[in-house]
């Protein structure tokens, strides 16, 4: 099964990438300030947008399997390697905190006219080339301590897929509740237009 519209290969990737980039730009992720604000826990837009994408994708894959339109064997599930995940997470996290972008948002930023997005993307490009050239020396570390082979979270925990979806939905609902914007109160007395006091001095100006 190939999506969308029976396109396959680069065409499907370009189409989905364009839609994803448009969504990121509309969410305000073309600005590096958005992601750094998330890391400071002052703006939860990044979490809400990306977690919504995770929920939609996970629910869609579950429904496709439930309806018999896609087999689980058709989904590539990589094996987790402990040291590779730890070092990669630290490196990518530090880069996002310092630069304010992830790989996808750096492209969106550059296409929106921001030079810092281009600089960040070039850093990713040259860093990837450098890592690929040095991989044979770091390969033993990258492939050390492999986790369970090709297991989903539900398979790892031994629970049904729908229970994981409910748990993800509960996490999203809890974060949305605790980070909701405070209710806007009406104008207070201190901000109301001042009135002249009823004194003889005030009346003398009338």
């Amino acid at each position: 099964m190939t999506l969308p519209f029976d396109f396959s290969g680069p065409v499907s990737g370009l189409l989905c990438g364009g839609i994803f980039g448009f969504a990121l730009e509309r969410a305000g992720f073309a600005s590096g300030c958005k992601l750094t604000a998330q890391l400071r826990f002052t703006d939860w837009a990044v979490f809400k947008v990306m977690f919504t994408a995770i929920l939609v994708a996970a629910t869609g894959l579950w429904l496709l399997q439930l309806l018999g339109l896609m087999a689980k064997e058709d989904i590539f599930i990589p094996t987790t390697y402990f040291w590779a995940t730890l070092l990669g997470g630290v490196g990518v996290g530090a880069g996002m905190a310092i630069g304010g972008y992830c790989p996808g948002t750096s492209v969106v930023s550059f296409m929106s006219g921001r030079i810092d997005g281009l600089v960040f993307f070039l850093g990713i490009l040259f860093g990837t080339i450098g890592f690929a050239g040095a991989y044979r020396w770091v390969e033993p570390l990258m492939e050390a301590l492999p986790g369970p082979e090709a297991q989903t979270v539900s398979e790892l925990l031994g629970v049904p897929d729908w229970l994981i979806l409910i748990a993800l939905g509960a996490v999203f609902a809890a974060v949305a509740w605790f980070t909701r914007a405070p209710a806007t109160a009406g104008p207070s007395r201190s901000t109301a237009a001042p009135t002249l006091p009823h004194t003889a001095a005030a009346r003398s100006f009338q």
Side-chain angles (χ1 to χ4, degrees):
M1 184 175 183
T2 55
L3 292 173
F5 310 121
D6 239 7
F7 293 150
S8 61
V11 176
S12 178
L14 289 172
L15 182 58
C16 291
I19 296 172
F20 183 60
F22 176 78
L24 290 179
E25 200 281 331
R26 295 300 297 170
F29 293 174
S31 171
C33 299
K34 203 74 171 174
L35 194 145
T36 53
Q38 173 66 75
L39 296 177
R40 293 195 302 268
F41 303 112
T42 58
D43 187 337
W44 286 81
V46 173
F47 175 90
K48 293 174 181 177
V49 170
M50 300 309 296
F51 211 87
T52 299
I54 292 171
L55 277 173
V56 171
T59 304
L61 289 173
W62 177 67
L63 289 175
L64 288 173
Q65 295 173 52
L66 194 66
L67 297 173
L69 300 175
M70 177 182 289
K72 183 171 289 187
E73 293 74 22
D74 296 333
I75 305 173
F76 174 70
I77 305 172
T79 297
T80 301
Y81 294 90
F82 177 78
W83 283 113
T85 303
L86 177 63
L87 296 176
V90 170
V92 172
M96 292 171 64
I98 296 171
Y101 297 108
C102 68
T105 55
S106 67
V107 177
V108 173
S109 174
F110 171 60
M111 296 304 293
S112 299
R114 297 176 181 267
I115 300 300
D116 58 337
L118 173 62
V119 174
F120 192 92
F121 178 74
L122 290 176
I124 295 173
L125 181 62
F126 289 120
T128 302
I129 294 173
F131 177 77
Y135 186 76
R136 60 177 178 172
W137 288 288
V138 298
E139 184 176 4
L141 179 61
M142 294 295 99
E143 297 184 356
L145 291 179
E149 185 175 357
Q151 278 192 335
T152 62
V153 175
S154 57
E155 291 172 339
L156 181 64
L157 299 179
V159 297
D161 293 338
W162 59 264
L163 187 58
I164 298 298
L165 292 176
I166 292 176
L168 290 175
V171 170
F172 179 81
V175 172
W177 171 263
F178 286 110
T179 61
R180 70 192 187 280
T184 303
S188 61
R189 286 183 174 269
S190 60
T191 59
T195 57
L196 291 173
H198 295 288
T199 63
R203 286 193 296 270
S204 64
F205 289 99
Q206 297 179 355

